[in-house]
Amino acid sequence: MRVVLAEDSTLLREGLARLLAEEGHEVVAAVGDGQGLLSATGAYRPDVVVTDVRMPPTHTDEGLRAALEVRRRWPEVGVLVLSQYVEKRYATELITGEDGRVGYLLKDRVTQVGEFLDALERVGAGGAAFDPEVVRRLLARTSHTDPLGRLTEREQDVLGLMAQGHTNAGIAGQLYVSQSAVEKHVNAIFDKLELAHTTGFSRRVLAVLRYLGS
Amino acid sequence: MSIPFGAAPVRGLVRGTIGLAIGGAAAFAELAFVLLAAPWLALPAARSRVSGGIRALVEWERARLARYFGDEVPAEYSPGRGLRYLALRSVVGGLGAGVFLLILYGIGSVAIAAAKMVSGRTIGVGAELDWYDPIVLFLLCLLLAFLAVQGLLGVATLDRKLGMHFLGPTNQELLRRRVSVLTSTRAEVLEAVNDERRRIERALHDGVQQRLVTLGMILGRAQRSGDPSRSGELLRQAHEQAQQALLDLREVAWRVYPVALDEGGLHSALESLAERSSLPVALRYRLGGRVDTATETIAYFVVSETVTNTIKHAAASRIEVDVELAASTLTVRVRDDGVGGAWPDGGGLSGLRRRVAAADGEFTVDSPPGGPTTVTAHLPTAVSVPFTADEEAGA
């Protein structure tokens, strides 16, 4: 995939670029701030942008604002945000889109190289990828605790993985059950949470996340 | 009062005497004004005009005090206080006028007595002029002249005290100001503490965390790499990053609180700061003992933040740090030979200003474009702690 990187720490930027190159991706541009991210995205139209949240000049949420701007201007470009810590507000802002192609990971997740690359692939392929920690927090602090309480333990596990952006096949692999069993769980979850049976895998993730984040 | 010698004190005495004479004459006008104007204050319609008169007279008095006694009396008075001042002022002025009249009377008497003596007539009660009469007269004159001068000095002192007392801020006003200063510095201290916490948070997230993430990523790459020589190289890099992360962590911890301050005091904390600096720091530390911990801590942060700022922005080649204690004020001065143009309201410097202000100190930044930059902090100190034996052994 063609990737644009935005990360202000030179050290990490170099490291990420090497990692992606080793895994066969093409880093078309590596920049250090939000403004650079926008111009590089406009110039190269990559498949995915990977961006840090805190970048110069103010070190608050430049990266996230640039990411939302990328979503607005170039909806076909996937956006994967790396954050220093879980910020529910940012995650929720990213979820508000109807479409997929978004991801929100904790920066520390990069150390789990496999998981990070997996999330990148999912976002690039039009899916969604949300950090298990984000999902855990959303599940823990959601205002819909009652309907969640009606889910079985197994259904809770499936919901968590679904919210992270895994496909049914991926969930089946992680829980060591058949794919049809996963599909049954998913249907039960959608019924119990009174969510519309959305087709399209990223839309279903977003439906769940919106439900949890609202 | 010191005994005056030379021309300038004589000029001062002459000026003061003239001032007293003018004040004595003015007393009658002031008394008349007070007696005539006071009743009118009860009438709202006349109030503003009377206030105007009070103000004019008081301002004239302030100008007189400034001109003849060199006293800058503040002008913080209401019309009521101004009127009370004028009433008392007229009494004091009247005393002055009285003393001057006595002096004139004395000079006249002496002149008459001297004339009598010269012509051989008696001056006392005796039938004829005794040999000791001139001596007695002389001593008497001396005594009376001394009393007259004392009287004038007393009037002058009263005159100045009165102005300060009635026209300066009241005790309540001074207290109110102190409270408002303290309120604002307290808010600033909290703000400065928060600034510092924000900086520490950033140092952790943007420094240490990035390193650890990089380290984890390199290890992850090494794991995924099938090529043993490549993984060996990656492991070597990871090892380097781990050591770097430890250094970063130590730096951050040190910035949170330099432990050396507790152990060896300001001097050793500054020495280790100079050793760790990437620019040469010349430290001149001229203190015979230790000051209180709170002051030491602020002084340390003034130096460390300024040095950090200099290394980041000033493009300097060397830094000089001077610390000295004079009259229970600790002075910290940091100079660099950099490009200048430091912005005193910038994040780091304004935080320091707040910290120093909170300790009732003064903080100045002198940084013309082109340099050099000098940052100075004067900090009032509490007790000086003398060296203890083990500190001397360790020094």
Side-chain angles (χ1 to χ4, degrees):
Chain A
M1 285 194 300
R2 297 168 70 254
V3 183
V4 167
L5 266 182
E7 159 66 60
D8 61 317
S9 152
T10 325
L11 185 75
L12 198 51
R13 192 166 65 222
E14 299 288 310
L16 276 169
R18 288 241 179 81
L19 169 66
L20 293 176
E22 278 167 21
E23 298 293 336
H25 297 295
E26 187 195 351
V27 179
V28 290
V31 297
D33 57 45
Q35 207 45 53
L37 173 63
L38 289 179
S39 42
T41 308
Y44 297 103
R45 300 297 164 85
D47 301 311
V48 190
V49 303
V50 177
T51 178
D52 182 16
V53 172
R54 303 206 315 185
M55 288 192 286
T58 65
H59 289 273
T60 51
D61 57 358
E62 284 78 4
L64 186 88
R65 278 189 275 120
L68 292 169
E69 186 65 17
V70 169
R71 302 257 350 99
R72 205 176 58 76
R73 281 204 237 167
W74 304 284
E76 73 284 1
V77 175
V79 169
L80 178 58
V81 173
L82 300 177
S83 177
Q84 319 272 49
Y85 44 83
V86 174
E87 173 65 81
K88 234 177 93 172
R89 192 164 47 91
Y90 296 165
T92 319
E93 268 184 80
L94 282 167
I95 296 164
T96 49
E98 263 310 308
D99 206 2
R101 293 180 200 285
V102 285
Y104 182 91
L105 290 186
L106 271 183
K107 204 171 236 187
D108 308 358
R109 203 60 56 191
V110 174
T111 61
Q112 316 281 341
V113 174
E115 281 184 41
F116 166 67
L117 291 165
D118 188 39
L120 185 73
E121 304 270 354
R122 286 211 301 275
V123 172
F130 282 84
D131 198 281
E133 183 60 20
V134 178
V135 173
R136 200 185 57 74
R137 293 268 297 273
L138 287 176
L139 278 166
R141 298 210 327 228
T142 179
S143 46
H144 308 286
T145 38
D146 284 351
L148 285 183
R150 293 212 308 270
L151 299 181
T152 65
E153 212 165 303
R154 191 24 63 108
E155 283 165 354
Q156 298 247 15
D157 294 341
V158 172
L159 175 72
L161 289 167
M162 187 161 63
Q164 286 171 35
H166 290 286
T167 57
N168 283 356
I171 296 172
Q174 296 214 27
L175 297 177
Y176 305 110
V177 293
S178 70
Q179 208 167 317
S180 64
V182 173
E183 274 160 25
K184 271 212 292 281
H185 285 312
V186 171
N187 286 334
I189 291 166
F190 274 83
D191 285 339
K192 285 184 181 173
L193 302 185
E194 297 167 2
L195 289 169
H197 283 257
T198 48
T199 50
F201 134 82
S202 69
R203 272 215 286 275
R204 134 195 129 147
V205 173
L206 295 173
V208 170
L209 285 170
R210 262 205 293 279
Y211 171 82
L212 293 173
S214 63
Chain B
M1 269 193 154
S2 60
I3 301 166
F5 287 106
V10 169
R11 262 212 300 278
L13 280 179
V14 171
R15 251 221 312 272
T17 312
I18 295 172
L20 279 176
I22 293 174
F28 299 99
E30 281 160 6
L31 183 64
F33 173 83
V34 169
L35 291 177
L36 287 172
W40 289 101
L41 266 182
L43 275 183
R47 193 166 295 162
S48 75
R49 300 193 59 176
V50 175
S51 299
I54 291 172
R55 183 158 293 275
L57 276 173
V58 172
E59 288 306 309
W60 183 85
E61 277 294 344
R62 285 185 61 236
R64 182 180 66 89
L65 288 173
R67 176 147 182 220
Y68 295 104
F69 301 106
D71 279 359
E72 286 303 327
V73 178
E76 302 183 30
Y77 55 92
S78 57
R81 279 181 93 205
L83 192 67
R84 277 200 296 281
Y85 166 73
L86 289 176
L88 281 168
R89 208 344 273 175
S90 63
V91 174
V92 172
L95 283 177
V99 174
F100 275 114
L101 287 175
L102 283 178
I103 291 173
L104 287 177
Y105 177 77
I107 291 171
S109 311
V110 168
I112 292 167
K116 278 182 175 176
M117 270 191 290
V118 168
S119 60
R121 279 173 295 167
T122 62
I123 50 163
V125 282
E128 58 195 70
L129 188 69
D130 290 314
W131 62 268
Y132 51 79
D133 274 350
I135 300 171
V136 169
L137 182 69
F138 176 72
L139 289 176
L140 193 67
C141 287
L142 210 58
L143 182 67
L144 289 173
F146 170 75
L147 287 178
V149 170
Q150 277 300 318
L152 284 182
L153 286 177
V155 170
T157 309
L158 273 178
D159 218 356
R160 300 160 71 174
K161 283 227 166 101
L162 203 65
M164 287 291 179
H165 180 76
F166 275 95
L167 306 181
T170 58
N171 277 347
Q172 214 172 356
E173 174 62 19
L174 287 173
L175 270 178
R176 208 186 54 73
R177 280 184 209 171
R178 181 71 187 140
V179 168
S180 84
V181 165
L182 287 177
T183 308
S184 71
T185 52
R186 187 187 63 167
E188 291 187 335
V189 170
L190 291 175
E191 194 49 47
V193 168
N194 278 338
D195 276 353
E196 224 135 79
R197 288 192 172 153
R198 250 178 246 125
R199 269 211 301 275
I200 292 162
E201 190 270 343
R202 269 189 51 184
L204 284 170
H205 269 314
D206 299 350
V208 182
Q209 190 190 15
Q210 311 282 42
R211 276 226 192 269
L212 290 172
V213 169
T214 306
L215 167 64
M217 197 168 59
I218 293 174
L219 288 172
R221 281 164 59 201
Q223 256 174 348
R224 289 167 75 88
S225 152
D227 172 6
S229 73
R230 257 199 72 65
S231 1
E233 165 59 17
L234 286 167
L235 281 178
R236 198 193 54 72
Q237 283 181 29
H239 188 227
E240 203 176 298
Q241 288 301 333
Q243 292 183 6
Q244 204 56 52
L246 282 171
L247 283 180
D248 284 359
L249 188 61
R250 198 171 307 143
E251 278 296 318
V252 173
W254 188 266
R255 277 192 70 176
V256 174
Y257 192 82
V259 189
L261 263 182
D262 288 344
E263 290 165 359
L266 183 57
H267 193 182
S268 71
L270 288 178
E271 275 178 346
S272 82
L273 182 133
E275 286 156 17
R276 292 192 348 264
S277 160
S278 57
L279 277 180
V281 173
L283 175 64
R284 272 194 298 277
Y285 190 87
R286 292 186 286 262
L287 250 67
R290 293 200 46 184
V291 290
D292 59 295
T293 320
T295 311
E296 281 196 342
T297 309
I298 296 175
Y300 175 82
F301 277 108
V302 167
V303 177
S304 76
E305 286 300 316
T306 311
V307 167
T308 307
N309 271 340
T310 304
I311 292 171
K312 263 196 217 157
H313 308 296
S317 70
R318 60 190 312 275
I319 303 173
E320 287 175 17
V321 177
D322 284 284
V323 185
E324 57 193 357
L325 185 66
S328 74
T329 299
L330 183 72
T331 302
V332 179
R333 196 170 283 113
V334 183
R335 277 196 208 84
D336 69 60
D337 59 354
V339 293
W343 187 38
D345 301 331
L349 288 175
S350 69
L352 282 180
R353 181 189 309 284
R354 285 200 282 259
R355 273 190 91 126
V356 172
D360 281 337
E362 279 172 51
F363 182 79
T364 52
V365 178
D366 174 45
S367 185
T373 299
T374 308
V375 170
T376 314
H378 297 288
L379 296 157
T381 61
V383 280
S384 252
V385 191
F387 274 124
T388 55
D390 58 352
E391 270 171 4
E392 274 179 347

